[in-house]
mmCIF file of all heavy atoms in Angstrom:
data_model
loop_
_atom_site.group_PDB
_atom_site.id
_atom_site.type_symbol
_atom_site.label_atom_id
_atom_site.label_comp_id
_atom_site.label_asym_id
_atom_site.label_seq_id
_atom_site.Cartn_x
_atom_site.Cartn_y
_atom_site.Cartn_z
ATOM 1 N N SER A 146 33.675 -37.687 -23.469
ATOM 2 C CA SER A 146 33.902 -38.205 -24.856
ATOM 3 C C SER A 146 33.396 -39.640 -24.938
ATOM 4 O O SER A 146 32.986 -40.236 -23.944
ATOM 5 C CB SER A 146 35.411 -38.119 -25.151
ATOM 6 O OG SER A 146 36.139 -38.789 -24.193
ATOM 7 N N SER A 147 33.554 -40.161 -26.162
ATOM 8 C CA SER A 147 33.077 -41.507 -26.393
ATOM 9 C C SER A 147 34.189 -42.252 -27.143
ATOM 10 O O SER A 147 34.928 -41.658 -27.929
ATOM 11 C CB SER A 147 31.802 -41.401 -27.271
ATOM 12 O OG SER A 147 31.792 -42.405 -28.226
ATOM 13 N N VAL A 148 34.285 -43.532 -26.917
ATOM 14 C CA VAL A 148 35.302 -44.341 -27.557
ATOM 15 C C VAL A 148 35.040 -44.401 -29.065
ATOM 16 O O VAL A 148 35.967 -44.686 -29.854
ATOM 17 C CB VAL A 148 35.381 -45.741 -26.885
ATOM 18 C CG1 VAL A 148 34.271 -46.668 -27.349
ATOM 19 C CG2 VAL A 148 36.756 -46.373 -27.079
ATOM 20 N N GLU A 149 33.846 -44.065 -29.477
ATOM 21 C CA GLU A 149 33.499 -44.056 -30.892
ATOM 22 C C GLU A 149 34.395 -43.093 -31.687
ATOM 23 O O GLU A 149 34.736 -43.342 -32.831
ATOM 24 C CB GLU A 149 31.990 -43.641 -31.050
ATOM 25 C CG GLU A 149 31.481 -43.522 -32.474
ATOM 26 C CD GLU A 149 31.624 -44.814 -33.303
ATOM 27 O OE1 GLU A 149 31.828 -45.894 -32.746
ATOM 28 O OE2 GLU A 149 31.518 -44.697 -34.547
ATOM 29 N N SER A 150 34.818 -41.998 -31.032
ATOM 30 C CA SER A 150 35.707 -41.081 -31.737
ATOM 31 C C SER A 150 37.002 -41.798 -32.128
ATOM 32 O O SER A 150 37.557 -41.573 -33.225
ATOM 33 C CB SER A 150 35.998 -39.831 -30.904
ATOM 34 O OG SER A 150 36.739 -40.168 -29.742
ATOM 35 N N LEU A 151 37.505 -42.644 -31.244
ATOM 36 C CA LEU A 151 38.757 -43.358 -31.514
ATOM 37 C C LEU A 151 38.573 -44.451 -32.552
ATOM 38 O O LEU A 151 39.447 -44.740 -33.369
ATOM 39 C CB LEU A 151 39.338 -43.953 -30.209
ATOM 40 C CG LEU A 151 39.766 -42.882 -29.185
ATOM 41 C CD1 LEU A 151 40.238 -43.528 -27.907
ATOM 42 C CD2 LEU A 151 40.849 -41.973 -29.760
ATOM 43 N N ASN A 152 37.341 -45.082 -32.571
ATOM 44 C CA ASN A 152 37.065 -46.061 -33.621
ATOM 45 C C ASN A 152 37.154 -45.323 -34.997
ATOM 46 O O ASN A 152 37.689 -45.839 -35.944
ATOM 47 C CB ASN A 152 35.652 -46.608 -33.468
ATOM 48 C CG ASN A 152 35.501 -47.434 -32.215
ATOM 49 O OD1 ASN A 152 36.501 -47.923 -31.681
ATOM 50 N ND2 ASN A 152 34.289 -47.580 -31.698
ATOM 51 N N ARG A 153 36.619 -44.116 -35.012
ATOM 52 C CA ARG A 153 36.578 -43.376 -36.272
ATOM 53 C C ARG A 153 37.952 -42.873 -36.686
ATOM 54 O O ARG A 153 38.290 -42.790 -37.834
ATOM 55 C CB ARG A 153 35.583 -42.250 -36.198
ATOM 56 C CG ARG A 153 34.128 -42.777 -36.028
ATOM 57 C CD ARG A 153 33.113 -41.675 -36.135
ATOM 58 N NE ARG A 153 31.794 -42.160 -35.846
ATOM 59 C CZ ARG A 153 30.694 -41.436 -35.955
ATOM 60 N NH1 ARG A 153 30.804 -40.159 -36.376
ATOM 61 N NH2 ARG A 153 29.497 -41.930 -35.681
ATOM 62 N N VAL A 154 38.791 -42.520 -35.656
ATOM 63 C CA VAL A 154 40.177 -42.122 -35.939
ATOM 64 C C VAL A 154 40.877 -43.252 -36.677
ATOM 65 O O VAL A 154 41.563 -43.073 -37.648
ATOM 66 C CB VAL A 154 40.933 -41.742 -34.632
ATOM 67 C CG1 VAL A 154 42.424 -41.709 -34.854
ATOM 68 C CG2 VAL A 154 40.419 -40.434 -34.052
ATOM 69 N N GLN A 155 40.661 -44.476 -36.179
ATOM 70 C CA GLN A 155 41.331 -45.652 -36.765
ATOM 71 C C GLN A 155 40.766 -45.973 -38.145
ATOM 72 O O GLN A 155 41.521 -46.316 -39.073
ATOM 73 C CB GLN A 155 41.182 -46.837 -35.809
ATOM 74 C CG GLN A 155 41.941 -46.563 -34.524
ATOM 75 C CD GLN A 155 41.800 -47.660 -33.474
ATOM 76 O OE1 GLN A 155 42.649 -48.547 -33.364
ATOM 77 N NE2 GLN A 155 40.706 -47.626 -32.712
ATOM 78 N N GLU A 156 39.464 -45.745 -38.305
ATOM 79 C CA GLU A 156 38.829 -45.977 -39.620
ATOM 80 C C GLU A 156 39.380 -44.961 -40.643
ATOM 81 O O GLU A 156 39.688 -45.311 -41.779
ATOM 82 C CB GLU A 156 37.320 -45.812 -39.414
ATOM 83 C CG GLU A 156 36.452 -45.540 -40.605
ATOM 84 C CD GLU A 156 35.186 -44.779 -40.212
ATOM 85 O OE1 GLU A 156 34.411 -45.286 -39.384
ATOM 86 O OE2 GLU A 156 35.004 -43.641 -40.746
ATOM 87 N N LEU A 157 39.560 -43.679 -40.198
ATOM 88 C CA LEU A 157 40.036 -42.657 -41.138
ATOM 89 C C LEU A 157 41.472 -42.888 -41.542
ATOM 90 O O LEU A 157 41.876 -42.568 -42.667
ATOM 91 C CB LEU A 157 39.954 -41.293 -40.472
ATOM 92 C CG LEU A 157 38.545 -40.694 -40.337
ATOM 93 C CD1 LEU A 157 38.595 -39.410 -39.479
ATOM 94 C CD2 LEU A 157 37.978 -40.353 -41.705
ATOM 95 N N THR A 158 42.264 -43.355 -40.625
ATOM 96 C CA THR A 158 43.723 -43.454 -40.890
ATOM 97 C C THR A 158 44.145 -44.864 -41.346
ATOM 98 O O THR A 158 45.287 -45.022 -41.778
ATOM 99 C CB THR A 158 44.552 -43.131 -39.616
ATOM 100 O OG1 THR A 158 44.122 -44.029 -38.572
ATOM 101 C CG2 THR A 158 44.296 -41.697 -39.148
ATOM 102 N N HIS A 159 43.232 -45.836 -41.213
ATOM 103 C CA HIS A 159 43.596 -47.253 -41.505
ATOM 104 C C HIS A 159 44.766 -47.696 -40.652
ATOM 105 O O HIS A 159 45.610 -48.484 -41.109
ATOM 106 C CB HIS A 159 43.884 -47.460 -42.992
ATOM 107 C CG HIS A 159 42.755 -47.009 -43.880
ATOM 108 N ND1 HIS A 159 41.531 -47.642 -43.941
ATOM 109 C CD2 HIS A 159 42.678 -45.934 -44.725
ATOM 110 C CE1 HIS A 159 40.759 -46.998 -44.785
ATOM 111 N NE2 HIS A 159 41.397 -45.967 -45.283
ATOM 112 N N LYS A 160 44.852 -47.112 -39.446
ATOM 113 C CA LYS A 160 45.921 -47.499 -38.539
ATOM 114 C C LYS A 160 45.313 -47.737 -37.158
ATOM 115 O O LYS A 160 44.243 -47.228 -36.869
ATOM 116 C CB LYS A 160 46.939 -46.394 -38.430
ATOM 117 C CG LYS A 160 47.671 -46.211 -39.754
ATOM 118 C CD LYS A 160 48.937 -45.393 -39.590
ATOM 119 C CE LYS A 160 49.706 -45.382 -40.915
ATOM 120 N NZ LYS A 160 50.369 -44.146 -41.149
ATOM 121 N N SER A 161 46.016 -48.523 -36.343
ATOM 122 C CA SER A 161 45.436 -48.740 -35.029
ATOM 123 C C SER A 161 46.211 -47.968 -33.955
ATOM 124 O O SER A 161 47.398 -47.717 -34.121
ATOM 125 C CB SER A 161 45.352 -50.228 -34.708
ATOM 126 O OG SER A 161 46.618 -50.751 -34.873
#
Side-chain angles (χ1 to χ4, degrees):
S146 54
S147 141
V148 78
E149 178 59 16
S150 65
L151 296 177
N152 295 337
R153 295 187 186 186
V154 165
Q155 295 177 95
E156 161 207 300
L157 286 172
T158 57
H159 305 291
K160 294 197 173 145
S161 54

